Amino acid sequence: MQIILCILNVVFAIGIFAWPLGAFSSIFFFDAPGSMSNPLTIGLAISVLGYPIPAIFGNLAFWANRKKENNLELIKMTLVSGIGYFCVLLSWGLLSLICNGKFAC
């Protein structure tokens, strides 16, 4: 179980390197007229800008306590690492479903 959690945390940590690209592209979410008033677009931008925060804290906590904690605590730390990515995917999915992939609807 710990090997799977280690792999997941490494994947979440590597995903942080893509953050500058996402942060730069998030300014273009608001180019379309009416996109500033769309709460789904605002939520997507906030989740893209903030996803490294739980990934960093979750990874630091996981790797610092990997030998001391039981599996349930390590699962919780891994979930903290992945919650930022989940928020991005959830916001993007809702925007695709409700607004047909358009930033202004």
Side-chain angles (χ1 to χ4, degrees), residues 38 48 56 78:
N38 187 357
V48 165
I56 290 170
T78 304

Side-chain angles (χ1 to χ4, degrees), residues 20-33 35-36 41 44-45 48-49 102-104:
L21 180 63
F24 176 72
S25 66
S26 69
I27 61 173
F28 298 109
F29 293 172
F30 302 105
D31 281 349
S35 61
M36 287 292 289
T41 304
L44 178 62
V48 165
L49 292 175
K102 298 176 184 172
F103 291 114

Side-chain angles (χ1 to χ4, degrees), residues 3 6 9 12 15 19 23 28 33 35 46 58-59 64 69 73 80 84 86 89 95-96 101 103 105:
I3 293 174
C6 288
N9 278 289
F12 293 148
W19 179 74
F28 298 109
S35 61
I46 290 172
N59 266 296
E69 297 290 336
E73 293 297 319
V80 169
F86 175 74
L89 291 175
L95 190 68
S96 296
F103 291 114
C105 64

Side-chain angles (χ1 to χ4, degrees), residues 15-94:
I16 295 171
F17 291 116
W19 179 74
L21 180 63
F24 176 72
S25 66
S26 69
I27 61 173
F28 298 109
F29 293 172
F30 302 105
D31 281 349
S35 61
M36 287 292 289
S37 62
N38 187 357
L40 294 173
T41 304
I42 295 169
L44 178 62
I46 290 172
S47 63
V48 165
L49 292 175
Y51 85 80
I53 296 168
I56 290 170
F57 286 134
N59 266 296
L60 289 175
F62 178 83
W63 293 109
N65 299 314
R66 180 172 44 107
K67 299 290 184 188
K68 296 181 266 186
E69 297 290 336
N70 58 7
N71 282 340
L72 184 62
E73 293 297 319
L74 294 177
I75 290 171
K76 288 179 186 177
M77 293 173 203
T78 304
L79 288 175
V80 169
S81 296
I83 196 72
Y85 299 102
F86 175 74
C87 289
V88 170
L89 291 175
L90 179 69
S91 299
W92 184 34
L94 286 174

